[in-house]
Each structure stands twice: as C-alpha cells, then as structure tokens.
Amino acid sequence: MSAFKEMVTEDMDDVFLNPEEFADEHDLNGALCNCIVESPTTEERFEKGKDYDGQDAMHGLTAIIHVKKSDIEEMPSEGQSFSLDGSYSLVDSCTEHMGMLTIKLKENTAGVSGAGGW
C-alpha cells in the first residue's frame, strides 16, 4: 500500500469518522457505525426545480451517508430498502472510494404524515 493510501486509511478513523471530530454513531441496517450523515436543505434540493444531484425534484427526503465499507455487512445496491436509525428508505446510489462508501438514500414523503426520521 502506498504511503498516501496508508495516511488516508488512518485519517478515515482518526479524523473523518472520529465521533469527536465529524462523525456520529448511527444505526445502519442494524449495525451501529460511526458515520457522517448529510441531509441537504430544502433550498439545496429544490433550487430551480432540481433536487440535490440535479434530477427533477420530487417530494421527499434525501440523506447522504459516508461510512467505512468494512463497518457494514454488505454494500447496498440501488433500489434496496435501507434503514437509517430505524427509518426505512430506498438506496438511490452507493459508491465506494478508498474503502469509504457514499450511500445516497431517498424517502418519498408526499402525503405521509409524520414521515422523515432523519
């Protein structure tokens, strides 16, 4: 492993996923993990009729999770049901880079009273 990759791996736990720095503990599909959960604001998601990633806007919530790949049992796939702190939604996308997963979840809350557990 290159020196740079070793430094990134160390920084993953020591900085990015350190609960005293950026991360918080969340329940991801039943596994307690230190991870970063982003929930874009309404303005970010629906600016000019587009959601967070530029797609046509729809009612709902978006969450983006950054977690170490080894901390969850299996890499989620598009369309899979996924639980974030007991609130179920669908995986919109999941990518891996240098041992870190970025999981994008979408939950349709149109007409659902009390929806949105994030």
Side-chain angles (χ1 to χ4, degrees), residues 36-79:
I36 299 168
V37 177
E38 297 178 72
S39 295
T41 66
T42 301
E43 286 128 16
E44 289 172 322
R45 289 187 298 136
F46 297 112
E47 184 179 75
K48 298 180 185 174
K50 301 290 181 186
D51 75 2
Y52 189 66
D53 62 0
Q55 302 299 314
D56 289 335
M58 62 177 265
H59 294 284
L61 297 172
T62 299
I64 301 167
I65 303 167
H66 305 280
V67 63
K68 191 164 48 168
K69 183 179 180 182
S70 61
D71 284 350
I72 60 174
E73 192 171 306
E74 69 178 55
M75 187 168 164
S77 58
E78 184 178 338

Side-chain angles (χ1 to χ4, degrees), residues 5-37:
K5 287 184 181 180
E6 287 177 15
M7 287 188 316
V8 169
T9 300
E10 289 174 13
D11 284 348
M12 195 182 309
D13 290 322
D14 295 341
V15 179
F16 302 117
L17 297 178
N18 181 340
E20 295 179 14
E21 298 291 338
F22 296 110
D24 292 305
E25 187 174 75
H26 291 275
D27 180 333
L28 305 181
N29 275 349
L32 290 177
C33 306
N34 287 330
C35 60
I36 299 168
V37 177

